[in-house]
Amino acid sequence: MSDRHRRSIRLQDYDYTQAGAYFVTTCTFQRAHLFGTVIDGTMLLNDTGVLVQHEWAQTAMLRDYVELDAFVVMPNHFHGIIVITEDLQGMRPHAPTTDPARRQFAKPIAKSLSSIIAAFKAGVTRALKLRSGSIERPIWHRNFYEHIIRSEAELNRIRDYIEHNPARWREDRFYLE
């Protein structure tokens, strides 16, 4: 299926550049276990998992409008809470999803959640290529899941979910033997 026929899973008419907290999940391509393993409820990162963790930290270091909260690198996916601290809506006259042309998977809007996650994933891929010289297959599934965090209680519930994700690995929907 071509990109122009894919449907966006983003919330229609929501401006993903506005200040707020977002829970994101991104998976590896075909849910391959690339980042390490879970043993006795503890995530043990391999070199690639450490690289993912490093690139996530770079996300906030390179963007002064971003703060990072709880996160976890799992064998075949990543969960994190990202906070856009500045309301960046003034950078353009409309929200990205109100323009029909923007809904057709154009380049991500600068400083939007999508552009931040795309840069994170690209950074991981670039670093892996530099380390190994080539990559046989894609690292990441081409999309990511997001959830807009709307309350302190929800933020705390998601933090707890992230913290305990390794301990619940066998029940995780991303778990594959």
Side-chain angles (χ1 to χ4, degrees), residues 7-11 16 21-28 30-31 56 76-82 113-114 117-118 120-121 140-149 158 161-162 172-174:
R7 289 183 26 153
S8 176
I9 61 173
R10 303 294 154 247
L11 189 61
Y16 285 93
Y22 303 88
F23 173 48
V24 297
T25 299
T26 188
C27 297
T28 60
Q30 297 180 337
R31 300 220 172 113
W56 185 246
N76 62 357
H77 67 282
F78 170 87
H79 293 299
I81 297 172
I82 186 166
L113 183 63
S114 290
I117 301 303
F120 160 65
K121 290 164 65 171
W140 299 105
H141 178 73
R142 68 178 171 186
N143 212 334
F144 70 96
Y145 304 95
E146 54 72 24
H147 174 77
I148 303 160
I149 301 172
I158 293 169
Y161 174 82
I162 289 170
D172 195 293
R173 69 184 184 149
F174 299 114

Side-chain angles (χ1 to χ4, degrees), residues 5-177:
H5 293 103
R6 283 186 2 203
R7 289 183 26 153
S8 176
I9 61 173
R10 303 294 154 247
L11 189 61
Q12 190 173 343
D13 298 327
Y14 183 83
D15 186 346
Y16 285 93
T17 63
Q18 68 183 316
Y22 303 88
F23 173 48
V24 297
T25 299
T26 188
C27 297
T28 60
F29 181 70
Q30 297 180 337
R31 300 220 172 113
H33 289 213
L34 302 178
F35 306 143
T37 188
V38 176
I39 298 177
D40 295 328
T42 301
M43 179 61 196
L44 302 173
L45 298 174
N46 60 19
D47 289 345
T48 304
V50 170
L51 188 139
V52 170
Q53 196 171 42
H54 172 77
E55 287 298 323
W56 185 246
Q58 290 294 103
T59 298
M61 294 176 80
L62 296 172
R63 295 164 187 84
D64 61 356
Y65 57 93
V66 167
E67 291 177 4
L68 303 178
D69 201 295
F71 71 93
V72 65
V73 179
M74 295 296 290
N76 62 357
H77 67 282
F78 170 87
H79 293 299
I81 297 172
I82 186 166
V83 180
I84 297 177
T85 58
E86 297 176 29
D87 195 345
L88 303 169
Q89 293 177 40
M91 296 178 57
R92 64 184 178 283
H94 54 77
T97 55
T98 59
D99 178 355
R102 291 283 188 186
R103 287 193 195 136
Q104 296 300 316
F105 293 93
K107 288 174 69 176
I109 304 278
K111 298 187 177 184
S112 69
L113 183 63
S114 290
S115 69
I116 295 165
I117 301 303
F120 160 65
K121 290 164 65 171
V124 170
T125 302
R126 189 171 35 258
L128 285 173
K129 282 182 181 176
L130 285 172
R131 185 175 78 191
S132 63
S134 68
I135 297 177
E136 295 175 18
R137 59 190 224 171
I139 303 301
W140 299 105
H141 178 73
R142 68 178 171 186
N143 212 334
F144 70 96
Y145 304 95
E146 54 72 24
H147 174 77
I148 303 160
I149 301 172
R150 294 180 168 94
S151 70
E152 192 73 26
E154 189 174 29
L155 176 63
N156 290 328
R157 182 185 56 76
I158 293 169
R159 283 176 176 150
D160 184 68
Y161 174 82
I162 289 170
E163 179 184 340
H164 294 100
N165 202 244
R168 294 187 306 257
W169 174 231
R170 290 198 180 270
E171 294 87 43
D172 195 293
R173 69 184 184 149
F174 299 114
Y175 174 75
L176 294 172
E177 192 69 54

